[in-house]
Each structure stands twice: as C-alpha cells, then as structure tokens.
Coordinates of all heavy atoms in Angstrom, one line a residue:
M1 N 105.5 22.2 37.4 CA 105.8 23.2 36.5 C 104.6 23.5 35.7 O 104.1 22.7 35.0 CB 107.0 22.8 35.7 CG 107.3 23.7 34.5 SD 108.3 25.2 35.0 CE 110.0 24.7 34.7
P2 N 104.2 24.8 35.7 CA 103.0 25.2 34.8 C 103.3 25.0 33.4 O 104.4 25.3 32.9 CB 102.7 26.6 35.2 CG 103.7 27.0 36.3 CD 104.7 25.9 36.4
K3 N 102.3 24.6 32.7 CA 102.4 24.4 31.2 C 102.5 25.8 30.5 O 103.1 26.0 29.4 CB 101.2 23.6 30.7 CG 101.4 23.2 29.2 CD 100.3 22.3 28.8 CE 100.4 22.0 27.3 NZ 99.3 21.1 26.9
F4 N 101.7 26.8 31.1 CA 101.7 28.1 30.4 C 102.3 29.2 31.4 O 102.1 29.2 32.6 CB 100.2 28.5 30.1 CG 99.6 27.5 29.2 CD1 98.7 26.5 29.6 CD2 99.9 27.5 27.8 CE1 98.1 25.6 28.7 CE2 99.4 26.6 26.9 CZ 98.5 25.6 27.4
A5 N 103.0 30.1 30.7 CA 103.6 31.2 31.5 C 102.6 32.4 31.5 O 102.6 33.2 32.5 CB 104.9 31.7 30.8
K6 N 101.7 32.5 30.6 CA 100.8 33.6 30.5 C 99.4 33.1 30.1 O 99.3 32.2 29.2 CB 101.2 34.7 29.6 CG 102.5 35.4 30.0 CD 102.9 36.5 29.0 CE 104.2 37.1 29.3 NZ 104.4 37.8 30.5
H7 N 98.4 33.8 30.5 CA 97.0 33.5 30.0 C 96.4 34.8 29.5 O 96.4 35.8 30.2 CB 96.2 32.9 31.1 CG 96.6 31.5 31.6 ND1 96.1 30.4 31.0 CD2 97.5 31.2 32.4 CE1 96.7 29.3 31.6 NE2 97.5 29.8 32.4
L8 N 95.8 34.7 28.3 CA 95.0 35.8 27.8 C 93.5 35.4 28.1 O 93.1 34.3 27.7 CB 95.2 36.0 26.3 CG 96.6 36.0 25.8 CD1 96.5 36.1 24.2 CD2 97.3 37.1 26.4
F9 N 92.8 36.2 28.8 CA 91.4 36.0 29.0 C 90.6 37.0 28.1 O 90.7 38.2 28.2 CB 91.0 36.2 30.5 CG 91.6 35.2 31.3 CD1 92.8 35.4 32.0 CD2 90.9 33.9 31.4 CE1 93.3 34.4 32.8 CE2 91.5 32.9 32.3 CZ 92.7 33.2 32.9
I10 N 90.0 36.4 27.1 CA 89.4 37.1 26.0 C 87.8 37.0 26.2 O 87.3 36.0 26.2 CB 89.7 36.5 24.7 CG1 91.3 36.6 24.5 CG2 89.1 37.3 23.5 CD1 91.8 35.5 23.7
C11 N 87.2 38.1 26.5 CA 85.8 38.2 26.8 C 85.0 37.7 25.5 O 85.2 38.3 24.4 CB 85.4 39.6 27.2 SG 83.6 39.6 27.6
M12 N 84.2 36.7 25.8 CA 83.4 36.2 24.7 C 81.9 36.4 25.0 O 81.0 35.7 24.4 CB 83.6 34.7 24.5 CG 85.1 34.3 24.5 SD 85.7 34.4 22.8 CE 84.8 33.1 22.1
N13 N 81.6 37.3 25.9 CA 80.2 37.4 26.4 C 79.4 38.0 25.3 O 79.8 38.9 24.5 CB 80.2 38.3 27.6 CG 78.8 38.3 28.3 OD1 78.3 37.2 28.4 ND2 78.3 39.4 28.7
Q14 N 78.2 37.5 25.2 CA 77.2 37.9 24.2 C 75.9 38.3 25.0 O 75.5 37.5 25.9 CB 76.9 36.7 23.2 CG 76.0 37.1 22.1 CD 75.7 36.0 21.2 OE1 75.8 34.8 21.5 NE2 75.4 36.3 20.0
R15 N 75.3 39.3 24.5 CA 74.0 39.8 25.1 C 73.0 39.9 23.9 O 73.3 40.1 22.8 CB 74.2 41.1 25.8 CG 75.0 41.1 27.1 CD 74.8 42.3 27.9 NE 75.4 42.1 29.2 CZ 76.6 42.6 29.6 NH1 77.3 43.2 28.7 NH2 77.1 42.3 30.7
E16 N 71.8 39.8 24.4 CA 70.7 39.9 23.4 C 70.6 41.3 22.9 O 71.0 42.3 23.6 CB 69.3 39.5 24.0 CG 68.8 40.4 25.1 CD 69.4 40.1 26.5 OE1 70.3 39.3 26.7 OE2 68.9 40.8 27.5
P17 N 70.2 41.5 21.6 CA 70.1 42.8 21.1 C 69.1 43.7 22.0 O 68.1 43.2 22.5 CB 69.4 42.6 19.7 CG 69.7 41.2 19.4 CD 69.8 40.5 20.7
G18 N 69.5 45.0 22.1 CA 68.7 45.9 22.9 C 69.0 45.9 24.3 O 68.5 46.7 25.1
H19 N 70.0 45.1 24.8 CA 70.4 45.1 26.2 C 71.0 46.5 26.5 O 71.7 47.0 25.6 CB 71.4 43.9 26.4 CG 71.7 43.7 27.8 ND1 72.5 44.5 28.6 CD2 71.2 42.7 28.7 CE1 72.6 44.0 29.8 NE2 71.8 43.0 29.9
P20 N 70.9 47.0 27.7 CA 71.4 48.3 28.0 C 73.0 48.3 28.0 O 73.5 49.4 27.9 CB 70.8 48.6 29.3 CG 70.3 47.3 29.9 CD 70.0 46.5 28.7
R21 N 73.6 47.2 28.1 CA 75.0 47.2 28.2 C 75.6 46.6 26.9 O 75.0 45.6 26.4 CB 75.6 46.4 29.3 CG 75.4 47.2 30.7 CD 76.2 46.5 31.8 NE 77.5 47.1 31.8 CZ 78.5 46.6 32.7 NH1 78.2 45.7 33.5 NH2 79.7 47.2 32.6
P22 N 76.7 47.0 26.3 CA 77.2 46.4 25.2 C 77.9 45.1 25.5 O 78.0 44.8 26.7 CB 78.3 47.4 24.7 CG 78.7 48.2 25.9 CD 77.5 48.2 26.8
C23 N 78.3 44.3 24.6 CA 79.0 43.0 24.8 C 80.2 42.9 23.9 O 80.3 43.6 22.9 CB 78.1 41.9 24.8 SG 77.5 41.5 23.1
C24 N 81.1 42.1 24.3 CA 82.4 42.0 23.5 C 82.3 41.1 22.3 O 83.2 41.1 21.5 CB 83.5 41.5 24.5 SG 83.9 42.7 25.8
D25 N 81.3 40.2 22.3 CA 81.2 39.3 21.1 C 79.8 39.3 20.6 O 79.1 38.2 20.8 CB 81.7 37.9 21.6 CG 81.8 36.9 20.4 OD1 81.8 37.4 19.2 OD2 81.9 35.7 20.6
P26 N 79.3 40.4 20.0 CA 77.9 40.5 19.6 C 77.5 39.4 18.7 O 76.3 38.9 18.7 CB 77.8 41.9 19.0 CG 79.1 42.5 19.2 CD 80.1 41.6 19.7
S27 N 78.3 38.9 17.9 CA 78.0 37.8 16.9 C 77.9 36.4 17.6 O 77.4 35.5 17.0 CB 78.9 37.8 15.7 OG 80.2 37.3 16.1
G28 N 78.6 36.3 18.7 CA 78.7 35.0 19.3 C 79.6 34.0 18.6 O 79.5 32.8 18.8
Q29 N 80.4 34.5 17.7 CA 81.2 33.6 16.9 C 82.6 33.4 17.4 O 83.3 32.5 17.0 CB 81.4 34.2 15.4 CG 80.1 34.4 14.7 CD 79.4 33.1 14.5 OE1 80.0 32.1 13.9 NE2 78.2 33.0 14.9
G30 N 83.0 34.1 18.4 CA 84.3 33.9 19.0 C 85.5 34.2 18.1 O 86.6 33.6 18.3
E31 N 85.3 35.2 17.2 CA 86.4 35.5 16.3 C 87.7 36.0 16.9 O 88.8 35.6 16.5 CB 85.9 36.6 15.3 CG 84.9 36.0 14.3 CD 85.6 35.1 13.3 OE1 86.7 35.3 12.9 OE2 85.0 34.1 13.0
L32 N 87.5 36.8 18.0 CA 88.8 37.3 18.6 C 89.6 36.3 19.2 O 90.8 36.2 19.0 CB 88.4 38.4 19.6 CG 89.5 39.3 20.2 CD1 90.4 39.9 19.1 CD2 89.0 40.3 21.1
Q33 N 89.0 35.4 19.9 CA 89.7 34.3 20.6 C 90.4 33.4 19.6 O 91.5 33.0 19.7 CB 88.8 33.5 21.6 CG 89.6 32.6 22.5 CD 89.4 31.1 22.2 OE1 88.5 30.8 21.4 NE2 90.1 30.3 22.9
R34 N 89.6 33.1 18.5 CA 90.1 32.2 17.4 C 91.3 32.9 16.8 O 92.4 32.3 16.5 CB 89.0 31.9 16.5 CG 89.3 30.8 15.6 CD 88.1 30.3 14.8 NE 87.0 31.2 14.5 CZ 85.9 31.1 15.2 NH1 85.7 30.2 16.2 NH2 84.9 31.9 14.9
L35 N 91.3 34.2 16.6 CA 92.4 34.9 16.0 C 93.6 34.9 16.9 O 94.7 34.7 16.4 CB 92.0 36.4 15.7 CG 93.0 37.2 14.9 CD1 93.3 36.6 13.5 CD2 92.4 38.7 14.7
F36 N 93.4 35.1 18.2 CA 94.6 35.1 19.1 C 95.2 33.7 19.0 O 96.4 33.5 18.9 CB 94.1 35.3 20.5 CG 94.3 36.8 20.9 CD1 93.2 37.6 21.1 CD2 95.5 37.4 21.1 CE1 93.3 38.9 21.4 CE2 95.6 38.6 21.5 CZ 94.5 39.4 21.7
K37 N 94.4 32.6 19.0 CA 94.9 31.2 19.0 C 95.7 31.0 17.7 O 96.8 30.4 17.7 CB 93.8 30.2 19.1 CG 93.2 30.1 20.5 CD 92.1 29.1 20.6 CE 92.8 27.7 20.6 NZ 92.0 26.7 21.1
T38 N 95.1 31.5 16.6 CA 95.8 31.3 15.3 C 97.2 32.0 15.3 O 98.2 31.5 14.9 CB 94.9 31.9 14.1 OG1 93.7 31.1 14.2 CG2 95.6 31.8 12.8
K39 N 97.2 33.3 15.7 CA 98.4 34.1 15.7 C 99.4 33.5 16.6 O 100.7 33.5 16.3 CB 98.1 35.5 16.0 CG 97.3 36.2 15.0 CD 97.9 36.2 13.6 CE 97.1 36.8 12.6 NZ 97.7 36.7 11.2
L40 N 99.1 33.0 17.8 CA 100.0 32.4 18.7 C 100.6 31.2 18.1 O 101.9 31.0 18.2 CB 99.3 32.1 20.1 CG 99.0 33.2 21.0 CD1 98.0 32.8 22.1 CD2 100.2 33.9 21.5
A41 N 99.8 30.3 17.4 CA 100.3 29.2 16.8 C 101.2 29.5 15.6 O 102.2 28.9 15.5 CB 99.1 28.3 16.3
E42 N 100.8 30.5 14.8 CA 101.7 30.9 13.7 C 103.1 31.3 14.2 O 104.0 31.1 13.5 CB 101.0 32.0 13.0 CG 99.9 31.6 12.1 CD 99.2 32.8 11.4 OE1 99.6 34.0 11.6 OE2 98.2 32.6 10.7
R43 N 103.1 31.9 15.3 CA 104.4 32.4 15.9 C 105.1 31.4 16.7 O 106.2 31.7 17.3 CB 104.2 33.7 16.6 CG 103.8 34.9 15.7 CD 103.2 36.0 16.5 NE 102.9 37.2 15.6 CZ 102.0 37.3 14.7 NH1 101.1 36.3 14.5 NH2 101.8 38.4 14.1
G44 N 104.5 30.2 16.9 CA 105.2 29.2 17.7 C 105.2 29.4 19.2 O 106.1 28.9 19.9
I45 N 104.4 30.3 19.6 CA 104.3 30.7 21.0 C 103.4 29.7 21.8 O 102.2 29.6 21.7 CB 103.7 32.1 21.2 CG1 104.6 33.1 20.5 CG2 103.6 32.5 22.7 CD1 104.1 34.5 20.4
K46 N 104.1 28.8 22.5 CA 103.4 27.7 23.2 C 103.2 28.0 24.7 O 102.4 27.3 25.3 CB 104.2 26.4 23.1 CG 104.4 26.0 21.6 CD 105.2 24.7 21.6 CE 105.5 24.3 20.2 NZ 104.5 24.2 19.2
L47 N 103.8 29.0 25.2 CA 103.6 29.2 26.7 C 102.6 30.2 27.0 O 102.4 30.6 28.2 CB 105.0 29.7 27.3 CG 106.1 28.6 27.3 CD1 107.4 29.3 27.8 CD2 105.7 27.5 28.1
V48 N 101.8 30.7 26.0 CA 100.7 31.6 26.2 C 99.4 30.9 25.7 O 99.4 30.5 24.6 CB 101.0 32.9 25.4 CG1 99.8 33.9 25.6 CG2 102.3 33.6 25.8
R49 N 98.5 31.0 26.6 CA 97.2 30.4 26.3 C 96.1 31.4 26.1 O 96.0 32.3 26.9 CB 96.8 29.4 27.3 CG 95.5 28.6 27.1 CD 95.3 27.6 28.1 NE 94.0 26.9 27.9 CZ 93.8 25.8 27.2 NH1 94.8 25.2 26.7 NH2 92.6 25.3 27.1
A50 N 95.4 31.3 25.0 CA 94.2 32.2 24.8 C 93.0 31.6 25.3 O 92.4 30.8 24.6 CB 94.2 32.5 23.3
N51 N 92.5 32.1 26.4 CA 91.3 31.5 27.0 C 90.1 32.3 26.7 O 90.1 33.5 26.7 CB 91.5 31.5 28.6 CG 92.7 30.7 29.0 OD1 92.6 29.4 29.1 ND2 93.7 31.3 29.4
K52 N 89.0 31.5 26.6 CA 87.7 32.2 26.5 C 87.3 32.7 28.0 O 87.6 32.1 28.9 CB 86.6 31.2 26.1 CG 86.8 30.7 24.7 CD 85.7 29.7 24.4 CE 86.0 29.1 23.0 NZ 85.0 28.0 22.7
S53 N 86.7 33.9 28.0 CA 86.3 34.4 29.2 C 84.8 35.0 29.1 O 84.4 35.3 28.1 CB 87.2 35.6 29.6 OG 86.6 36.3 30.7
G54 N 84.1 34.9 30.3 CA 82.8 35.5 30.4 C 83.1 37.0 30.6 O 84.2 37.5 30.4
C55 N 82.0 37.7 30.9 CA 82.1 39.1 31.1 C 83.1 39.5 32.1 O 83.1 39.0 33.2 CB 80.7 39.6 31.5 SG 80.6 41.4 31.7
L56 N 83.9 40.5 31.7 CA 85.0 41.0 32.6 C 84.6 42.3 33.3 O 85.4 43.0 34.0 CB 86.3 41.2 31.8 CG 86.9 39.9 31.2 CD1 88.0 40.2 30.2 CD2 87.4 39.0 32.3
D57 N 83.3 42.7 33.1 CA 82.7 43.9 33.7 C 83.4 45.2 33.3 O 83.5 46.1 34.1 CB 82.6 43.7 35.2 CG 81.5 44.6 35.8 OD1 80.7 45.0 35.1 OD2 81.7 44.9 37.0
Q58 N 83.9 45.2 32.1 CA 84.4 46.4 31.5 C 83.8 46.6 30.1 O 84.4 47.0 29.1 CB 85.9 46.4 31.3 CG 86.7 46.2 32.6 CD 86.6 47.4 33.5 OE1 86.7 48.5 33.1 NE2 86.3 47.1 34.8
C59 N 82.5 46.2 30.0 CA 81.8 46.1 28.8 C 81.9 47.3 27.9 O 82.0 47.2 26.6 CB 80.3 45.8 29.0 SG 80.2 44.5 30.3
E60 N 81.8 48.5 28.4 CA 81.8 49.7 27.6 C 83.1 50.0 26.9 O 83.2 50.8 26.1 CB 81.4 50.9 28.5 CG 79.9 50.9 28.9 CD 79.5 49.8 30.0 OE1 80.4 49.2 30.6 OE2 78.3 49.6 30.1
L61 N 84.1 49.2 27.4 CA 85.5 49.5 26.8 C 85.9 48.3 25.9 O 87.0 48.3 25.3 CB 86.5 49.5 27.9 CG 86.3 50.6 29.0 CD1 87.2 50.5 30.2 CD2 86.3 51.9 28.4
G62 N 85.0 47.4 25.6 CA 85.4 46.2 24.8 C 85.4 46.4 23.3 O 85.1 47.4 22.8
P63 N 85.9 45.3 22.7 CA 86.1 43.9 23.3 C 87.4 44.0 24.2 O 88.4 44.7 23.9 CB 86.4 43.1 22.1 CG 86.8 44.0 20.9 CD 86.1 45.3 21.2
N64 N 87.3 43.2 25.3 CA 88.3 43.3 26.3 C 89.1 42.0 26.4 O 88.6 40.9 26.3 CB 87.6 43.5 27.6 CG 87.0 44.9 27.7 OD1 87.7 45.9 27.7 ND2 85.7 44.9 27.8
V65 N 90.4 42.2 26.7 CA 91.4 41.1 26.9 C 92.2 41.5 28.2 O 92.6 42.7 28.3 CB 92.3 41.0 25.7 CG1 93.3 39.8 26.0 CG2 91.5 40.6 24.4
V66 N 92.4 40.6 29.1 CA 93.3 40.8 30.1 C 94.4 39.7 30.1 O 94.1 38.5 29.8 CB 92.6 40.9 31.5 CG1 91.9 39.6 31.8 CG2 93.5 41.3 32.6
V67 N 95.6 40.1 30.4 CA 96.8 39.2 30.4 C 97.3 39.0 31.8 O 97.5 39.9 32.5 CB 97.9 39.8 29.5 CG1 99.1 38.8 29.5 CG2 97.4 40.1 28.1
Y68 N 97.3 37.7 32.2 CA 97.8 37.4 33.5 C 99.1 36.5 33.3 O 99.1 35.7 32.3 CB 96.8 36.6 34.3 CG 95.7 37.5 34.9 CD1 94.4 37.5 34.3 CD2 96.1 38.3 35.9 CE1 93.5 38.4 34.9 CE2 95.1 39.2 36.4 CZ 93.8 39.3 35.8 OH 92.9 40.1 36.4
P69 N 100.1 36.6 34.2 CA 100.0 37.1 35.6 C 100.1 38.7 35.7 O 100.0 39.2 36.8 CB 101.1 36.4 36.3 CG 102.1 36.2 35.3 CD 101.4 35.9 34.0
E70 N 100.4 39.3 34.6 CA 100.7 40.8 34.8 C 99.5 41.6 35.2 O 99.6 42.6 35.8 CB 101.3 41.4 33.5 CG 102.7 40.9 33.1 CD 102.7 39.6 32.3 OE1 101.6 39.0 32.2 OE2 103.7 39.2 31.9
G71 N 98.3 41.2 34.7 CA 97.1 41.9 34.9 C 97.0 43.2 34.1 O 96.4 44.2 34.5
V72 N 97.5 43.0 32.9 CA 97.4 44.1 31.9 C 96.1 44.0 31.1 O 95.9 42.9 30.5 CB 98.6 44.1 31.0 CG1 98.5 45.2 29.9 CG2 99.9 44.4 31.8
W73 N 95.4 45.1 31.0 CA 94.1 45.0 30.3 C 94.2 45.7 28.9 O 94.9 46.7 28.7 CB 93.0 45.8 31.0 CG 92.6 45.1 32.3 CD1 93.3 45.0 33.5 CD2 91.4 44.4 32.5 NE1 92.5 44.3 34.4 CE2 91.4 43.9 33.8 CE3 90.3 44.2 31.6 CZ2 90.3 43.2 34.2 CZ3 89.2 43.5 32.2 CH2 89.2 43.0 33.4
Y74 N 93.5 45.1 28.0 CA 93.4 45.8 26.6 C 91.9 45.9 26.2 O 91.1 44.9 26.5 CB 94.1 44.9 25.6 CG 95.6 44.8 25.8 CD1 96.1 43.8 26.6 CD2 96.5 45.8 25.3 CE1 97.5 43.7 26.8 CE2 97.8 45.7 25.5 CZ 98.3 44.7 26.3 OH 99.7 44.6 26.6
G75 N 91.6 47.0 25.6 CA 90.2 47.2 25.1 C 90.3 48.0 23.9 O 91.3 48.4 23.4
A76 N 89.1 48.3 23.4 CA 89.0 49.0 22.1 C 89.4 50.5 22.3 O 89.4 51.0 23.4 CB 87.6 48.9 21.5
Ligands
FES101 S1 80.9 41.9 27.8 FE1 83.0 41.8 27.8 S2 83.6 42.8 29.5 FE2 81.5 42.7 29.7

C-alpha cells in the first residue's frame, strides 16, 4: 500500500544570472516547496507529498508544479 496518494513535484531548479532561460527558484531558497509542506501539514493532509523537482522543462511558465497521478500542471 503506497504511503502517499498524490505527489506534488515542485521545480526547484536554479540557474546562474544571465542564463537565456528563466528558472523556477532564482534565489535557490526552496520557498515554494517549503510553503507547500507547511500548508499540507497545517491542514493535516498526510497522503500528499510535496517533492522537490529539477527542471520540468516548462521554465518560461514557472514557477511550475505538477501533481501526480493526475498529471495536472500549475504555473505562474
Ligand atoms: S526551471 Fe522550472 S521548469 Fe525549468
């Protein structure tokens, strides 16, 4: 039995300043993932895991989050 019913993959990719593509976590602080974890815990939601992710290749639409198993994408 899986421990989690859903996984949020939250892009934490960081690129150097001046890179031709944007990135989802320019500060490298992981604030978005930390916020998801905090809010899930505050709501007592234990079956959803907020995972760190590398680049999801939708950089121009970020910050990006994808929810599985549904495969629903969220961006800015
Ligand atoms: S840097 Fe986040 S999708 Fe590419």
Side-chain angles (χ1 to χ4, degrees):
M1 172 79 94
K3 184 173 180 180
F4 298 104
K6 298 179 188 293
H7 292 266
L8 310 178
F9 292 95
I10 302 151
C11 180
M12 309 276 292
N13 193 42
Q14 184 182 23
R15 291 196 169 99
E16 66 277 6
H19 192 281
R21 292 190 83 183
C23 66
C24 294
D25 190 13
S27 71
Q29 299 298 306
E31 284 293 318
L32 188 56
Q33 192 248 357
R34 197 167 21 260
L35 185 60
F36 268 109
K37 288 184 74 164
T38 298
K39 295 301 180 183
L40 289 168
E42 285 175 0
R43 289 163 174 77
I45 300 171
K46 299 182 186 310
L47 293 176
V48 178
R49 184 173 174 93
N51 299 283
K52 296 177 183 176
S53 169
C55 179
L56 299 166
D57 202 24
Q58 299 294 317
C59 317
E60 288 72 15
L61 305 174
N64 292 297
V65 177
V66 61
V67 181
Y68 283 107
E70 292 87 350
V72 176
W73 288 75
Y74 297 90

